[in-house]
PDB file of all heavy atoms in Angstrom:
ATOM      1  N   THR A   1      -3.956 -20.803 -13.010  1.00 98.00           N
ATOM      2  CA  THR A   1      -4.500 -21.982 -12.330  1.00 98.00           C
ATOM      3  C   THR A   1      -3.674 -23.176 -12.654  1.00 98.00           C
ATOM      4  O   THR A   1      -3.401 -23.451 -13.828  1.00 98.00           O
ATOM      5  CB  THR A   1      -5.954 -22.178 -12.768  1.00 98.00           C
ATOM      6  OG1 THR A   1      -6.757 -21.036 -12.452  1.00 98.00           O
ATOM      7  CG2 THR A   1      -6.545 -23.399 -12.067  1.00 98.00           C
ATOM      8  N   THR A   2      -3.231 -23.843 -11.618  1.00 98.00           N
ATOM      9  CA  THR A   2      -2.497 -25.198 -11.834  1.00 98.00           C
ATOM     10  C   THR A   2      -3.050 -26.220 -10.921  1.00 98.00           C
ATOM     11  O   THR A   2      -4.050 -25.886 -10.152  1.00 98.00           O
ATOM     12  CB  THR A   2      -0.994 -24.964 -11.533  1.00 98.00           C
ATOM     13  OG1 THR A   2      -0.849 -24.896 -10.057  1.00 98.00           O
ATOM     14  CG2 THR A   2      -0.328 -23.751 -12.213  1.00 98.00           C
ATOM     15  N   SER A   3      -2.557 -27.396 -10.877  1.00 98.00           N
ATOM     16  CA  SER A   3      -3.048 -28.409  -9.929  1.00 98.00           C
ATOM     17  C   SER A   3      -2.618 -28.055  -8.487  1.00 98.00           C
ATOM     18  O   SER A   3      -3.131 -28.682  -7.594  1.00 98.00           O
ATOM     19  CB  SER A   3      -2.473 -29.754 -10.379  1.00 98.00           C
ATOM     20  OG  SER A   3      -0.988 -29.773 -10.247  1.00 98.00           O
ATOM     21  N   GLU A   4      -1.767 -27.049  -8.341  1.00 98.00           N
ATOM     22  CA  GLU A   4      -1.274 -26.739  -6.937  1.00 98.00           C
ATOM     23  C   GLU A   4      -1.915 -25.420  -6.408  1.00 98.00           C
ATOM     24  O   GLU A   4      -1.996 -25.361  -5.207  1.00 98.00           O
ATOM     25  CB  GLU A   4       0.197 -26.647  -6.970  1.00 98.00           C
ATOM     26  CG  GLU A   4       0.936 -27.920  -7.367  1.00 98.00           C
ATOM     27  CD  GLU A   4       2.380 -27.812  -7.616  1.00 98.00           C
ATOM     28  OE1 GLU A   4       2.876 -26.608  -7.894  1.00 98.00           O
ATOM     29  OE2 GLU A   4       3.121 -28.821  -7.539  1.00 98.00           O
ATOM     30  N   THR A   5      -2.179 -24.450  -7.310  1.00 98.00           N
ATOM     31  CA  THR A   5      -2.619 -23.251  -6.928  1.00 98.00           C
ATOM     32  C   THR A   5      -3.655 -22.581  -7.893  1.00 98.00           C
ATOM     33  O   THR A   5      -3.681 -22.991  -9.057  1.00 98.00           O
ATOM     34  CB  THR A   5      -1.489 -22.084  -6.790  1.00 98.00           C
ATOM     35  OG1 THR A   5      -0.864 -21.975  -8.081  1.00 98.00           O
ATOM     36  CG2 THR A   5      -0.412 -22.575  -5.802  1.00 98.00           C
ATOM     37  N   ASP A   6      -4.484 -21.648  -7.417  1.00 98.00           N
ATOM     38  CA  ASP A   6      -5.427 -20.887  -8.281  1.00 98.00           C
ATOM     39  C   ASP A   6      -5.333 -19.487  -7.774  1.00 98.00           C
ATOM     40  O   ASP A   6      -5.823 -19.163  -6.743  1.00 98.00           O
ATOM     41  CB  ASP A   6      -6.801 -21.455  -8.138  1.00 98.00           C
ATOM     42  CG  ASP A   6      -7.818 -20.822  -9.050  1.00 98.00           C
ATOM     43  OD1 ASP A   6      -7.414 -19.937  -9.923  1.00 98.00           O
ATOM     44  OD2 ASP A   6      -9.034 -21.150  -8.964  1.00 98.00           O
ATOM     45  N   LEU A   7      -4.722 -18.550  -8.567  1.00 98.00           N
ATOM     46  CA  LEU A   7      -4.424 -17.259  -8.061  1.00 98.00           C
ATOM     47  C   LEU A   7      -4.826 -16.177  -9.122  1.00 98.00           C
ATOM     48  O   LEU A   7      -4.674 -16.423 -10.377  1.00 98.00           O
ATOM     49  CB  LEU A   7      -2.869 -17.079  -7.827  1.00 98.00           C
ATOM     50  CG  LEU A   7      -2.377 -17.884  -6.621  1.00 98.00           C
ATOM     51  CD1 LEU A   7      -0.835 -18.113  -6.765  1.00 98.00           C
ATOM     52  CD2 LEU A   7      -2.714 -17.180  -5.341  1.00 98.00           C
ATOM     53  N   THR A   8      -5.283 -15.000  -8.584  1.00 98.00           N
ATOM     54  CA  THR A   8      -5.547 -13.905  -9.455  1.00 98.00           C
ATOM     55  C   THR A   8      -4.916 -12.632  -8.835  1.00 98.00           C
ATOM     56  O   THR A   8      -5.008 -12.443  -7.609  1.00 98.00           O
ATOM     57  CB  THR A   8      -7.096 -13.580  -9.565  1.00 98.00           C
ATOM     58  OG1 THR A   8      -7.647 -14.699 -10.239  1.00 98.00           O
ATOM     59  CG2 THR A   8      -7.341 -12.331 -10.442  1.00 98.00           C
ATOM     60  N   VAL A   9      -4.142 -11.955  -9.620  1.00 97.00           N
ATOM     61  CA  VAL A   9      -3.617 -10.664  -9.222  1.00 97.00           C
ATOM     62  C   VAL A   9      -3.992  -9.508 -10.079  1.00 97.00           C
ATOM     63  O   VAL A   9      -3.884  -9.683 -11.337  1.00 97.00           O
ATOM     64  CB  VAL A   9      -1.968 -10.806  -9.230  1.00 97.00           C
ATOM     65  CG1 VAL A   9      -1.391  -9.461  -8.969  1.00 97.00           C
ATOM     66  CG2 VAL A   9      -1.507 -11.800  -8.240  1.00 97.00           C
ATOM     67  N   ARG A  10      -4.475  -8.483  -9.525  1.00 96.00           N
ATOM     68  CA  ARG A  10      -4.775  -7.203 -10.252  1.00 96.00           C
ATOM     69  C   ARG A  10      -3.891  -6.127  -9.669  1.00 96.00           C
ATOM     70  O   ARG A  10      -3.759  -6.013  -8.423  1.00 96.00           O
ATOM     71  CB  ARG A  10      -6.277  -6.876 -10.039  1.00 96.00           C
ATOM     72  CG  ARG A  10      -7.196  -7.871 -10.658  1.00 96.00           C
ATOM     73  CD  ARG A  10      -8.585  -7.288 -10.765  1.00 96.00           C
ATOM     74  NE  ARG A  10      -9.120  -6.794  -9.544  1.00 96.00           N
ATOM     75  CZ  ARG A  10      -9.683  -7.469  -8.545  1.00 96.00           C
ATOM     76  NH1 ARG A  10      -9.795  -8.816  -8.641  1.00 96.00           N
ATOM     77  NH2 ARG A  10     -10.067  -6.923  -7.438  1.00 96.00           N
ATOM     78  N   VAL A  11      -3.339  -5.348 -10.553  1.00 96.00           N
ATOM     79  CA  VAL A  11      -2.352  -4.348 -10.164  1.00 96.00           C
ATOM     80  C   VAL A  11      -2.705  -3.024 -10.828  1.00 96.00           C
ATOM     81  O   VAL A  11      -3.030  -2.978 -12.030  1.00 96.00           O
ATOM     82  CB  VAL A  11      -0.832  -4.715 -10.439  1.00 96.00           C
ATOM     83  CG1 VAL A  11      -0.602  -4.988 -11.907  1.00 96.00           C
ATOM     84  CG2 VAL A  11       0.120  -3.652  -9.889  1.00 96.00           C
ATOM     85  N   ASN A  12      -2.592  -1.928 -10.098  1.00 95.00           N
ATOM     86  CA  ASN A  12      -2.765  -0.575 -10.638  1.00 95.00           C
ATOM     87  C   ASN A  12      -1.520   0.248 -10.242  1.00 95.00           C
ATOM     88  O   ASN A  12      -1.384   0.505  -9.034  1.00 95.00           O
ATOM     89  CB  ASN A  12      -4.041   0.003 -10.138  1.00 95.00           C
ATOM     90  CG  ASN A  12      -4.282   1.499 -10.694  1.00 95.00           C
ATOM     91  OD1 ASN A  12      -3.389   2.032 -11.356  1.00 95.00           O
ATOM     92  ND2 ASN A  12      -5.441   1.980 -10.342  1.00 95.00           N
ATOM     93  N   LEU A  13      -0.651   0.568 -11.131  1.00 96.00           N
ATOM     94  CA  LEU A  13       0.628   1.314 -10.807  1.00 96.00           C
ATOM     95  C   LEU A  13       0.295   2.788 -10.514  1.00 96.00           C
ATOM     96  O   LEU A  13       1.278   3.499 -10.028  1.00 96.00           O
ATOM     97  CB  LEU A  13       1.599   1.082 -11.938  1.00 96.00           C
ATOM     98  CG  LEU A  13       1.938  -0.281 -12.285  1.00 96.00           C
ATOM     99  CD1 LEU A  13       3.074  -0.303 -13.321  1.00 96.00           C
ATOM    100  CD2 LEU A  13       2.316  -1.087 -11.073  1.00 96.00           C
ATOM    101  N   ASP A  14      -0.922   3.322 -10.860  1.00 93.00           N
ATOM    102  CA  ASP A  14      -1.154   4.702 -10.686  1.00 93.00           C
ATOM    103  C   ASP A  14      -2.492   4.836  -9.922  1.00 93.00           C
ATOM    104  O   ASP A  14      -3.417   5.368 -10.468  1.00 93.00           O
ATOM    105  CB  ASP A  14      -1.250   5.400 -11.988  1.00 93.00           C
ATOM    106  CG  ASP A  14       0.034   5.310 -12.794  1.00 93.00           C
ATOM    107  OD1 ASP A  14       1.032   5.766 -12.284  1.00 93.00           O
ATOM    108  OD2 ASP A  14      -0.051   4.686 -13.922  1.00 93.00           O
ATOM    109  N   PRO A  15      -2.561   4.444  -8.717  1.00 88.00           N
ATOM    110  CA  PRO A  15      -3.841   4.424  -7.928  1.00 88.00           C
ATOM    111  C   PRO A  15      -4.352   5.814  -7.689  1.00 88.00           C
ATOM    112  O   PRO A  15      -5.546   6.008  -7.461  1.00 88.00           O
ATOM    113  CB  PRO A  15      -3.421   3.774  -6.612  1.00 88.00           C
ATOM    114  CG  PRO A  15      -1.980   3.895  -6.429  1.00 88.00           C
ATOM    115  CD  PRO A  15      -1.495   3.835  -7.905  1.00 88.00           C
ATOM    116  N   HIS A  16      -3.549   6.891  -7.776  1.00 81.00           N
ATOM    117  CA  HIS A  16      -3.980   8.236  -7.565  1.00 81.00           C
ATOM    118  C   HIS A  16      -4.900   8.660  -8.749  1.00 81.00           C
ATOM    119  O   HIS A  16      -5.584   9.698  -8.646  1.00 81.00           O
ATOM    120  CB  HIS A  16      -2.765   9.175  -7.397  1.00 81.00           C
ATOM    121  CG  HIS A  16      -1.915   9.227  -8.590  1.00 81.00           C
ATOM    122  ND1 HIS A  16      -1.035   8.188  -8.849  1.00 81.00           N
ATOM    123  CD2 HIS A  16      -1.713  10.137  -9.572  1.00 81.00           C
ATOM    124  CE1 HIS A  16      -0.297   8.488  -9.991  1.00 81.00           C
ATOM    125  NE2 HIS A  16      -0.716   9.627 -10.378  1.00 81.00           N
ATOM    126  N   LEU A  17      -4.835   7.964  -9.917  1.00 72.00           N
ATOM    127  CA  LEU A  17      -5.644   8.322 -10.984  1.00 72.00           C
ATOM    128  C   LEU A  17      -7.001   7.479 -10.958  1.00 72.00           C
ATOM    129  O   LEU A  17      -7.785   7.637 -11.967  1.00 72.00           O
ATOM    130  CB  LEU A  17      -4.872   8.032 -12.350  1.00 72.00           C
ATOM    131  CG  LEU A  17      -3.563   8.753 -12.484  1.00 72.00           C
ATOM    132  CD1 LEU A  17      -2.841   8.305 -13.757  1.00 72.00           C
ATOM    133  CD2 LEU A  17      -3.769  10.257 -12.463  1.00 72.00           C
ATOM    134  N   ASP A  18      -7.247   6.680 -10.031  1.00 65.00           N
ATOM    135  CA  ASP A  18      -8.338   5.820  -9.982  1.00 65.00           C
ATOM    136  C   ASP A  18      -8.953   5.802  -8.542  1.00 65.00           C
ATOM    137  O   ASP A  18      -8.185   5.670  -7.571  1.00 65.00           O
ATOM    138  CB  ASP A  18      -7.912   4.458 -10.383  1.00 65.00           C
ATOM    139  CG  ASP A  18      -9.032   3.415 -10.577  1.00 65.00           C
ATOM    140  OD1 ASP A  18     -10.223   3.795 -10.171  1.00 65.00           O
ATOM    141  OD2 ASP A  18      -8.930   2.346 -11.071  1.00 65.00           O
ATOM    142  N   SER A  19     -10.250   5.956  -8.542  1.00 54.00           N
ATOM    143  CA  SER A  19     -10.789   5.990  -7.117  1.00 54.00           C
ATOM    144  C   SER A  19     -10.906   4.601  -6.488  1.00 54.00           C
ATOM    145  O   SER A  19     -11.116   4.479  -5.288  1.00 54.00           O
ATOM    146  CB  SER A  19     -12.221   6.543  -7.276  1.00 54.00           C
ATOM    147  OG  SER A  19     -13.051   5.771  -8.095  1.00 54.00           O
ATOM    148  N   ALA A  20     -10.681   3.513  -7.276  1.00 56.00           N
ATOM    149  CA  ALA A  20     -10.715   2.180  -6.750  1.00 56.00           C
ATOM    150  C   ALA A  20      -9.518   1.926  -5.788  1.00 56.00           C
ATOM    151  O   ALA A  20      -8.471   2.460  -5.975  1.00 56.00           O
ATOM    152  CB  ALA A  20     -10.716   1.132  -7.844  1.00 56.00           C
ATOM    153  N   THR A  21      -9.704   1.132  -4.813  1.00 60.00           N
ATOM    154  CA  THR A  21      -8.659   0.787  -3.891  1.00 60.00           C
ATOM    155  C   THR A  21      -8.381  -0.618  -3.875  1.00 60.00           C
ATOM    156  O   THR A  21      -9.162  -1.499  -4.287  1.00 60.00           O
ATOM    157  CB  THR A  21      -8.967   1.305  -2.466  1.00 60.00           C
ATOM    158  OG1 THR A  21     -10.213   0.624  -1.995  1.00 60.00           O
ATOM    159  CG2 THR A  21      -9.241   2.789  -2.418  1.00 60.00           C
ATOM    160  N   GLY A  22      -7.212  -0.999  -3.418  1.00 64.00           N
ATOM    161  CA  GLY A  22      -6.815  -2.355  -3.343  1.00 64.00           C
ATOM    162  C   GLY A  22      -7.672  -3.122  -2.292  1.00 64.00           C
ATOM    163  O   GLY A  22      -8.058  -2.595  -1.326  1.00 64.00           O
ATOM    164  N   GLU A  23      -7.828  -4.406  -2.485  1.00 70.00           N
ATOM    165  CA  GLU A  23      -8.584  -5.265  -1.499  1.00 70.00           C
ATOM    166  C   GLU A  23      -7.400  -5.932  -0.662  1.00 70.00           C
ATOM    167  O   GLU A  23      -6.311  -6.100  -1.074  1.00 70.00           O
ATOM    168  CB  GLU A  23      -9.320  -6.283  -2.238  1.00 70.00           C
ATOM    169  CG  GLU A  23     -10.397  -5.630  -3.171  1.00 70.00           C
ATOM    170  CD  GLU A  23     -11.008  -6.691  -4.142  1.00 70.00           C
ATOM    171  OE1 GLU A  23     -10.735  -7.875  -3.982  1.00 70.00           O
ATOM    172  OE2 GLU A  23     -11.767  -6.292  -5.033  1.00 70.00           O
ATOM    173  N   SER A  24      -7.930  -6.321   0.503  1.00 84.00           N
ATOM    174  CA  SER A  24      -7.001  -7.072   1.386  1.00 84.00           C
ATOM    175  C   SER A  24      -6.563  -8.424   0.715  1.00 84.00           C
ATOM    176  O   SER A  24      -7.487  -9.125   0.239  1.00 84.00           O
ATOM    177  CB  SER A  24      -7.604  -7.306   2.718  1.00 84.00           C
ATOM    178  OG  SER A  24      -7.856  -6.119   3.423  1.00 84.00           O
ATOM    179  N   PRO A  25      -5.325  -8.737   0.659  1.00 92.00           N
ATOM    180  CA  PRO A  25      -4.879  -9.989   0.118  1.00 92.00           C
ATOM    181  C   PRO A  25      -5.537 -11.134   0.864  1.00 92.00           C
ATOM    182  O   PRO A  25      -5.767 -11.156   2.002  1.00 92.00           O
ATOM    183  CB  PRO A  25      -3.371 -10.014   0.345  1.00 92.00           C
ATOM    184  CG  PRO A  25      -3.014  -8.534   0.434  1.00 92.00           C
ATOM    185  CD  PRO A  25      -4.150  -7.940   1.140  1.00 92.00           C
ATOM    186  N   ALA A  26      -5.910 -12.196   0.087  1.00 95.00           N
ATOM    187  CA  ALA A  26      -6.618 -13.360   0.595  1.00 95.00           C
ATOM    188  C   ALA A  26      -6.138 -14.542  -0.094  1.00 95.00           C
ATOM    189  O   ALA A  26      -6.655 -14.970  -1.140  1.00 95.00           O
ATOM    190  CB  ALA A  26      -8.065 -13.168   0.476  1.00 95.00           C
ATOM    191  N   THR A  27      -5.081 -15.186   0.450  1.00 97.00           N
ATOM    192  CA  THR A  27      -4.560 -16.413  -0.156  1.00 97.00           C
ATOM    193  C   THR A  27      -4.758 -17.691   0.749  1.00 97.00           C
ATOM    194  O   THR A  27      -4.479 -18.731   0.355  1.00 97.00           O
ATOM    195  CB  THR A  27      -3.039 -16.311  -0.306  1.00 97.00           C
ATOM    196  OG1 THR A  27      -2.396 -16.233   0.959  1.00 97.00           O
ATOM    197  CG2 THR A  27      -2.653 -15.083  -1.164  1.00 97.00           C
ATOM    198  N   GLY A  28      -5.305 -17.395   1.978  1.00 96.00           N
ATOM    199  CA  GLY A  28      -5.449 -18.519   2.890  1.00 96.00           C
ATOM    200  C   GLY A  28      -4.313 -18.765   3.829  1.00 96.00           C
ATOM    201  O   GLY A  28      -4.368 -19.601   4.714  1.00 96.00           O
ATOM    202  N   HIS A  29      -3.177 -17.980   3.672  1.00 97.00           N
ATOM    203  CA  HIS A  29      -2.061 -18.140   4.547  1.00 97.00           C
ATOM    204  C   HIS A  29      -1.928 -16.808   5.288  1.00 97.00           C
ATOM    205  O   HIS A  29      -1.559 -15.760   4.756  1.00 97.00           O
ATOM    206  CB  HIS A  29      -0.760 -18.404   3.686  1.00 97.00           C
ATOM    207  CG  HIS A  29       0.408 -18.809   4.544  1.00 97.00           C
ATOM    208  ND1 HIS A  29       1.127 -17.861   5.224  1.00 97.00           N
ATOM    209  CD2 HIS A  29       1.023 -19.948   4.767  1.00 97.00           C
ATOM    210  CE1 HIS A  29       2.136 -18.474   5.918  1.00 97.00           C
ATOM    211  NE2 HIS A  29       2.102 -19.721   5.567  1.00 97.00           N
ATOM    212  N   GLY A  30      -2.172 -16.804   6.552  1.00 97.00           N
ATOM    213  CA  GLY A  30      -2.240 -15.651   7.324  1.00 97.00           C
ATOM    214  C   GLY A  30      -1.035 -14.670   7.373  1.00 97.00           C
ATOM    215  O   GLY A  30      -1.178 -13.532   7.064  1.00 97.00           O
ATOM    216  N   PHE A  31       0.169 -15.304   7.604  1.00 97.00           N
ATOM    217  CA  PHE A  31       1.292 -14.455   7.615  1.00 97.00           C
ATOM    218  C   PHE A  31       1.671 -13.983   6.230  1.00 97.00           C
ATOM    219  O   PHE A  31       2.076 -12.818   6.113  1.00 97.00           O
ATOM    220  CB  PHE A  31       2.514 -15.209   8.207  1.00 97.00           C
ATOM    221  CG  PHE A  31       3.746 -14.399   8.302  1.00 97.00           C
ATOM    222  CD1 PHE A  31       3.880 -13.459   9.287  1.00 97.00           C
ATOM    223  CD2 PHE A  31       4.840 -14.548   7.404  1.00 97.00           C
ATOM    224  CE1 PHE A  31       5.034 -12.651   9.412  1.00 97.00           C
ATOM    225  CE2 PHE A  31       5.934 -13.799   7.457  1.00 97.00           C
ATOM    226  CZ  PHE A  31       6.097 -12.842   8.501  1.00 97.00           C
ATOM    227  N   PHE A  32       1.530 -14.808   5.213  1.00 97.00           N
ATOM    228  CA  PHE A  32       1.804 -14.363   3.790  1.00 97.00           C
ATOM    229  C   PHE A  32       0.890 -13.246   3.441  1.00 97.00           C
ATOM    230  O   PHE A  32       1.327 -12.264   2.818  1.00 97.00           O
ATOM    231  CB  PHE A  32       1.779 -15.541   2.898  1.00 97.00           C
ATOM    232  CG  PHE A  32       2.097 -15.208   1.490  1.00 97.00           C
ATOM    233  CD1 PHE A  32       3.305 -14.553   1.141  1.00 97.00           C
ATOM    234  CD2 PHE A  32       1.430 -15.654   0.357  1.00 97.00           C
ATOM    235  CE1 PHE A  32       3.678 -14.198  -0.126  1.00 97.00           C
ATOM    236  CE2 PHE A  32       1.794 -15.409  -0.923  1.00 97.00           C
ATOM    237  CZ  PHE A  32       2.828 -14.709  -1.177  1.00 97.00           C
ATOM    238  N   ASP A  33      -0.412 -13.307   3.829  1.00 97.00           N
ATOM    239  CA  ASP A  33      -1.284 -12.270   3.507  1.00 97.00           C
ATOM    240  C   ASP A  33      -0.881 -10.897   4.200  1.00 97.00           C
ATOM    241  O   ASP A  33      -0.990  -9.918   3.667  1.00 97.00           O
ATOM    242  CB  ASP A  33      -2.757 -12.602   3.898  1.00 97.00           C
ATOM    243  CG  ASP A  33      -3.379 -13.594   3.033  1.00 97.00           C
ATOM    244  OD1 ASP A  33      -2.977 -13.839   1.969  1.00 97.00           O
ATOM    245  OD2 ASP A  33      -4.395 -14.182   3.443  1.00 97.00           O
TER     246      ASP A  33
END
């Protein structure tokens, strides 16, 4: 968190070992998402 941005990133390098799936990116910038 800074005065310019507030961001959270969660990463799983081995998704096949976990039933959880990634969420759709949501940064507020359509093309970047």
